[in-house]
């Protein structure tokens, strides 16, 4: 597609393989019709309805929908004459003076062509550019992976809204990450208080996704990451370290271990129970058993078994049993590839039917691990991330670098597809709308990798298409705002959870401090101090080490406030000219930016208390906050944040986030006395 199209005010994402522009425009009739045959499987005419709805929203015109050769439409949806000449998902789109025709290789192809046409209608209204498009995807699987377990369970309405958006950008698979947030029978002790998804939710959502060309693949933790389950009275004795089950809840602790003791036969029974109960609710022939980050394996109750056969053999045997169990039910197993790549000998022992989900989140990731899996002959899907976790503002630069590199390596080494991941570590403080830029970058790279090599160009396109921003500047503004995050949510959680609740230090949290910064930014002297095991530091010393470690970042808060305020003003001005389409996004951006401003001020104050930095001087920098005023500002902000949370999520763990902020504000008030 020529960049002249973007300059004229419209763009298509993902960028098609070929576009031939023709002179003139085609004006949609005032009383038009979409003709959609039943032959390719859209029994409820969802695709025709999508077009009619968009035409109404943009032009105010009411269009009809029909099927059959006696009801011709100005817009015609049909299949290609030679279905075998094109891969699944391929389509052509023709816009002429006499009408519009979408031809697809199959239902997915027609769906994809319809989404391209919808994007043009949303930008051009009734006056469509005349053109011919021939297009097809690079990857067979173009999936999205959404965390619905680590703090935030979306409402069913919002999940449907997200499915609509994934459809618009031509994704064809969706997985929901579940640990404890599904209402399994007989396991209420695990899911109580989490606002869990129910069988009815899944059945309804599975239908909704299928009608839009999205395969909803079941995904549930069956091996590691069973924190809530292994803290219950009923299941704690199945963990590697049941003695830790009564320790206070910790966001950081939840991420670190909690693996089944697979030397106990009851562990396999539990894994199979989760699989068997869950898979019956999905039409997909795939199942993701997860099996990632089994950090405790062989270190606790199963240590004797590890001593006899080794951790790699234990892992390989267990996941193989789970895969075979799925195969007997006609299901194709999927699993995360991190443990396998830590112990490459496992690759030789896995069933041939398994698909490895090869996640690599480094923005400067190399091809090493993708190449390793490719050489083994195993099927793999490359898995980058939208880079929103642990923060209020999205790290769009990191998402761009991570996704584009992984797409390139996936293409180079013949990966089956790409699965873009969206995590919610530490309570899922990140508003799901912050993931939209990364999601759309992922859509582009899974469909047509490398065709938009410039990040700035990509962000302009997204700003115009998704956010109706004629200037194309919105995401550039948001990206620069994220650079002004000097003290982030995960920094605050670390500071709070260093306290073990008894006035001492949580050594597990202390060990996570190096991971707060990339390797090339870690101050060597602090790293050595953290590794010094000669004596246990006090809580005050530990918190001081944290701020010594983060000093360079925290002090940026002195100059970041102006940038954040300017960003909020500019985004608000853009939203005012974009119409009602983006009101929710604008509110989410405003709340996130204001929350980051407050976190920066908290970081400066806490660092000052430890003596790591001096009291902030007056002038253009932020003045040293009065603790009581800062506490009140945080509490007011949390009310606004909670209101935004409830627009798209169930209550789930909102109270944990509120308690976190209130613990901080209570501390600030106490320190001011």
């Amino acid at each position: 597609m020529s960049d002249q199209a973007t300059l004229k005010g419209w763009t298509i994402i993902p960028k098609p393989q070929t576009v031939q522009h023709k002179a003139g425009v085609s004006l949609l009739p005032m009383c038009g019709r979409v003709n959609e045959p039943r032959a390719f499987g859209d029994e409820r005419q969802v695709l025709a309805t999508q077009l009619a709805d968009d035409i109404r929203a943009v032009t105010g015109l009411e269009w009809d929908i029909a099927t059959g050769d006696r009801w011709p439409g100005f817009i015609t949806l049909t299949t290609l004459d030679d279905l075998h000449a094109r891969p699944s998902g391929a389509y052509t789109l023709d816009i002429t003076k006499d009408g519009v025709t979408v031809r697809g290789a199959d239902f997915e192809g027609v769906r994809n062509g319809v989404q391209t046409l919808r994007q043009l209608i949303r930008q051009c209204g009734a006056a469509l550019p005349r053109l011919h498009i021939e297009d097809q995807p690079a990857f067979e699987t173009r999936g999205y992976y959404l965390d619905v377990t680590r703090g935030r369970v979306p409402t069913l309405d919002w999940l449907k809204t997200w499915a609509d958006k994934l459809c618009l950008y031509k994704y064809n698979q969706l997985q929901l990450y579940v640990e404890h947030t599904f209402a399994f029978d007989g396991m209420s002790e695990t899911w109580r208080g989490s606002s869990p998804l129910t069988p009815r939710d899944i059945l309804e959502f599975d239908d909704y996704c299928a009608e839009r060309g999205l395969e909803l693949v079941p995904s549930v933790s069956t091996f590691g990451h069973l924190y809530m389950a292994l803290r219950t009275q009923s299941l704690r004795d199945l963990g590697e370290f049941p003695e830790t089950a009564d320790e206070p809840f910790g966001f950081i602790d939840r991420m670190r271990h909690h693996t089944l003791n697979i030397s106990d036969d009851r562990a396999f029974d539990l894994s199979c129970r989760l699989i068997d109960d869950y898979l019956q609710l999905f039409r997909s022939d795939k199942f993701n058993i997860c099996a990632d980050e089994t950090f405790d394996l062989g270190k606790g109750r199963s240590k004797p078994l590890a001593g006899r056969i080794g951790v790699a053999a234990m892992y390989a045997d267990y996941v193989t049993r789970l895969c075979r169990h799925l195969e007997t039910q006609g299901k194709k197993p999927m699993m995360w590839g991190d443990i396998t790549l830590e112990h490459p000998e496992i690759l030789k022992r896995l069933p041939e039917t398994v698909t490895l989900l090869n996640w690599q989140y480094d923005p400067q990731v190399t091809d090493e691990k993708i190449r390793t899996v490719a050489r083994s002959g195993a099927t793999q899907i490359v898995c980058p991330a939208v880079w929103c976790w642990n923060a209020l503002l999205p790290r769009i630069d990191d998402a761009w670098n991570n996704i584009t590199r992984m797409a390139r390596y996936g293409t180079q080494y013949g990966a089956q597809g790409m699965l873009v991941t969206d995590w919610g570590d530490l309570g899922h403080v990140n508003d799901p709308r912050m993931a939209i830029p990364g999601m759309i970058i992922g859509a582009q790279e899974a469909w047509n990798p490398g065709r938009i090599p410039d990040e700035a160009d990509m962000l302009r396109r997204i700003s115009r298409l998704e956010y109706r921003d004629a200037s194309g500047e919105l995401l550039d503004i948001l990206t620069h705002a994220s650079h002004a995050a000097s003290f982030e949510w995960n920094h605050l959680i670390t500071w709070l959870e260093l306290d073990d609740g008894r006035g001492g230090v949580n050594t597990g949290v202390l060990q996570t401090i190096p991971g707060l910064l990339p390797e090339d930014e870690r101050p060597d002297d602090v790293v050595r101090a953290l590794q010094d095991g000669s004596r246990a530091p006090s809580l005050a010393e530990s918190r001081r080490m944290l701020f010594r470690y983060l000093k360079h970042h925290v002090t940026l808060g002195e100059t970041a406030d102006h940038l954040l305020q300017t960003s909020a003003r500019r985004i608000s001005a853009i939203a005012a000219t974009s119409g009602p389409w983006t009101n929710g996004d604008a509110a989410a951006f405003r709340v996130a930016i204001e929350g980051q401003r407050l976190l920066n001020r908290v970081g400066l104050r806490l660092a000052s208390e430890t003596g790591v930095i001096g009291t902030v001087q007056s002038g253009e920098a932020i003045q040293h906050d009065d603790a009581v005023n800062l506490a009140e500002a945080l509490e007011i902000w949390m009310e606004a944040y909670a209101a935004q949370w409830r627009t798209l999520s169930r209550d789930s763990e909102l109270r944990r986030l509120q308690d976190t902020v209130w613990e901080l504000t209570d501390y600030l008030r106490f320190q001011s006395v």
Side-chain angles (χ1 to χ4, degrees):
M1 180 172 61
S2 168
D3 288 334
Q4 291 180 354
T6 305
L7 294 173
K8 292 176 181 177
W10 60 266
T11 187
I12 299 169
I13 305 174
K15 187 175 182 180
Q17 302 290 344
T18 64
V19 179
Q20 297 175 11
H21 295 271
K22 300 179 180 180
V25 297
S26 179
L27 187 64
L28 296 178
M30 288 188 298
C31 299
R33 177 184 296 135
V34 183
N35 181 285
E36 178 183 5
R38 298 182 186 275
F40 55 77
D42 186 13
E43 291 295 325
R44 296 182 62 187
Q45 286 78 50
V46 170
L47 300 180
T49 301
Q50 287 179 332
L51 288 167
D53 287 348
D54 277 358
I55 290 170
R56 181 194 308 113
V58 176
T59 70
L61 300 174
E62 292 288 343
W63 271 44
D64 194 14
I65 294 171
T67 190
D69 58 9
R70 301 181 67 87
W71 298 92
F74 190 82
I75 298 177
T76 302
L77 312 183
T78 186
T79 52
L80 291 163
D81 295 333
D82 187 355
L83 299 182
H84 301 292
R86 298 289 185 90
S88 176
Y91 72 92
T92 64
L93 170 62
D94 287 282
I95 302 176
T96 71
K97 65 181 181 63
D98 298 318
V100 180
T101 304
V102 176
R103 297 179 177 86
D106 49 13
F107 167 73
E108 184 181 341
V110 178
R111 182 206 71 150
N112 292 335
V114 166
Q115 306 318 309
T116 295
L117 180 55
R118 291 177 66 203
Q119 291 184 16
L120 289 171
I121 290 169
R122 290 183 174 202
Q123 297 168 89
C124 304
L128 299 179
R130 294 179 186 174
L131 47 73
H132 171 74
I133 293 176
E134 295 188 10
D135 202 10
Q136 64 187 53
F139 286 120
E140 174 187 343
T141 299
R142 305 176 304 284
Y144 198 83
Y145 196 85
L146 179 65
D147 187 342
V148 297
T149 208
R150 288 177 176 159
R152 186 188 291 267
V153 179
T155 65
L156 184 57
D157 284 345
W158 187 82
L159 284 173
K160 291 178 178 179
T161 298
W162 193 249
D164 287 333
K165 200 171 291 292
L166 293 176
C167 174
L168 179 65
Y169 292 105
K170 302 184 178 72
Y171 280 87
N172 63 2
Q173 188 184 107
L174 173 61
Q175 300 188 32
L176 305 178
Y177 176 57
V178 169
E179 291 175 9
H180 65 284
T181 50
F182 181 77
F184 288 101
D185 279 354
M187 295 186 67
S188 58
E189 191 182 1
T190 297
W191 50 255
R192 64 189 184 190
S194 69
S195 308
L197 296 166
T198 65
R200 181 175 181 174
D201 291 331
I202 295 297
L203 289 172
E204 184 174 340
F205 191 48
D206 189 48
D207 286 342
Y208 194 87
C209 288
E211 290 170 352
R212 286 151 184 81
L214 287 163
E215 181 182 13
L216 186 65
V217 174
S219 172
V220 66
S221 287
T222 61
F223 194 171
H225 283 300
L226 290 169
Y227 181 69
M228 299 302 289
L230 297 181
R231 288 166 60 84
T232 65
Q233 296 294 331
S234 302
L235 298 174
R236 64 176 59 195
D237 62 331
L238 293 182
E240 285 278 12
F241 295 102
E243 62 273 14
T244 67
D246 290 323
E247 291 180 355
F249 173 89
F251 285 121
I252 293 174
D253 186 43
R254 174 158 70 180
M255 299 299 302
R256 296 185 66 236
H257 46 89
H258 315 292
T259 303
L260 283 176
N261 167 21
I262 60 174
S263 65
D264 187 325
D265 290 339
R266 296 174 300 164
F268 187 72
D269 294 338
L270 174 61
S271 296
C272 290
R273 175 183 171 188
L274 294 171
I275 290 170
D276 295 347
D277 288 355
Y278 204 44
L279 65 79
Q280 291 188 348
L281 304 174
F282 297 79
R283 53 170 48 83
S284 174
D285 64 351
K286 304 174 184 65
F287 195 105
N288 182 3
I289 62 172
C290 294
D292 57 317
E293 297 188 329
T294 52
F295 300 136
D296 292 342
L297 185 61
K299 296 179 180 178
R301 293 295 187 270
S302 71
K303 192 171 183 178
L305 179 59
R308 292 196 300 274
I309 68 172
V311 170
M314 290 172 64
Y315 182 88
D317 290 347
Y318 195 74
V319 296
T320 296
R321 289 177 68 193
L322 294 178
C323 291
R324 298 301 185 200
H325 179 75
L326 280 165
E327 290 168 4
T328 63
Q329 301 178 73
K331 302 297 181 181
K332 300 173 183 176
M334 308 174 87
M335 57 181 279
W336 299 111
D338 55 305
I339 302 300
T340 297
L341 286 161
E342 286 180 15
H343 304 277
E345 63 269 30
I346 294 174
L347 278 168
K348 301 175 183 178
R349 304 182 59 161
L350 295 178
E352 292 183 359
T353 56
V354 71
T355 297
L356 280 179
L357 305 175
N358 196 344
W359 62 269
Q360 310 290 328
Y361 298 152
D362 184 348
Q364 304 304 318
V365 62
T366 69
D367 67 348
E368 178 185 358
K369 292 183 178 180
I370 297 168
R371 183 175 68 248
T372 297
V373 175
R375 287 178 175 173
S376 77
T379 301
Q380 68 176 319
I381 290 175
V382 294
C383 305
V386 296
W387 272 87
C388 291
W389 63 84
N390 297 346
L392 292 171
L393 292 168
R395 298 178 289 281
I396 297 173
D397 289 340
D398 289 336
W400 166 264
N401 289 320
N402 184 212
I403 292 169
T404 54
R405 282 171 176 262
M406 291 291 278
R408 183 167 71 248
Y409 301 148
T411 303
Q412 180 180 352
Y413 293 106
Q416 183 188 80
M418 187 157 76
L419 183 67
V420 180
T421 62
D422 182 356
W423 297 103
D425 308 3
L426 309 190
H428 211 142
V429 71
N430 41 304
D431 187 300
R433 288 166 289 200
M434 297 299 160
I436 290 174
M439 179 273 285
I440 299 176
I441 292 169
Q444 169 62 46
E445 293 301 300
W447 184 277
N448 196 354
R451 284 295 298 275
I452 303 179
D454 178 65
E455 179 185 0
D457 183 23
M458 186 74 224
L459 298 187
R460 282 193 296 271
R461 292 170 184 267
I462 298 172
S463 296
R464 288 173 172 170
L465 175 57
E466 175 64 24
Y467 298 104
R468 312 299 196 273
D469 169 25
S471 73
E473 295 178 350
L474 188 145
L475 289 187
D476 182 64
I477 297 168
L478 187 65
T479 300
H480 281 85
S482 72
H483 297 166
S486 60
F487 187 71
E488 299 189 55
W489 178 256
N490 57 330
H491 302 156
L492 173 62
I493 295 296
T494 303
W495 182 84
L496 288 169
E497 294 190 356
L498 278 170
D499 187 342
D500 65 2
R502 300 180 295 273
V505 177
N506 185 324
T507 55
V509 174
L510 187 67
Q511 293 166 4
T512 68
I513 290 177
L516 295 175
L517 295 177
E519 285 190 32
D520 60 350
E521 296 181 25
R522 297 173 185 174
D524 293 338
D525 60 326
V526 184
V527 171
R528 286 193 295 271
L530 289 167
Q531 294 172 341
D532 181 8
S534 61
R535 67 180 187 88
S538 67
L539 177 59
E541 289 173 322
S542 297
R543 285 178 164 171
R544 186 170 187 274
M545 276 197 284
L546 170 65
F547 278 103
R548 284 175 55 206
Y549 192 75
L550 297 174
K551 179 179 177 179
H552 173 69
H553 285 261
V554 172
T555 52
L556 294 176
E558 299 178 17
T559 56
D561 195 60
H562 176 71
L563 174 57
L564 289 169
Q565 290 190 71
T566 301
S567 298
R569 287 194 293 268
R570 294 178 66 192
I571 289 173
S572 296
I574 289 171
T577 62
S578 300
W581 296 84
T582 58
N583 284 349
D585 297 313
F589 294 154
R590 178 67 186 276
V591 169
I593 290 172
E594 183 61 25
Q596 189 56 60
R597 286 186 65 210
L598 293 171
L599 282 177
N600 287 354
R601 289 160 60 184
V602 167
L604 287 167
R605 181 173 185 86
L606 296 179
S608 177
E609 284 181 4
T610 64
V612 170
I613 64 173
T615 300
V616 181
Q617 302 299 314
S618 60
E620 293 186 1
I622 305 171
Q623 294 190 24
H624 190 60
D625 278 287
D626 175 82
V628 174
N629 289 338
L630 180 55
E632 183 174 7
L634 283 160
E635 288 159 351
I636 292 170
W637 172 81
M638 176 47 75
E639 290 303 304
Y641 176 89
Q644 285 299 308
W645 174 291
R646 295 187 176 105
T647 63
L648 39 84
S649 303
R650 308 176 191 198
D651 272 2
S652 32
E653 292 188 20
L654 173 60
R655 186 55 184 263
R656 291 197 196 276
L657 302 189
Q658 291 173 317
D659 286 344
T660 297
V661 172
W662 297 338
E663 182 180 352
L664 171 63
T665 58
D666 288 347
Y667 173 86
L668 292 171
R669 285 193 172 90
F670 176 78
Q671 291 299 106
S672 71
V673 174

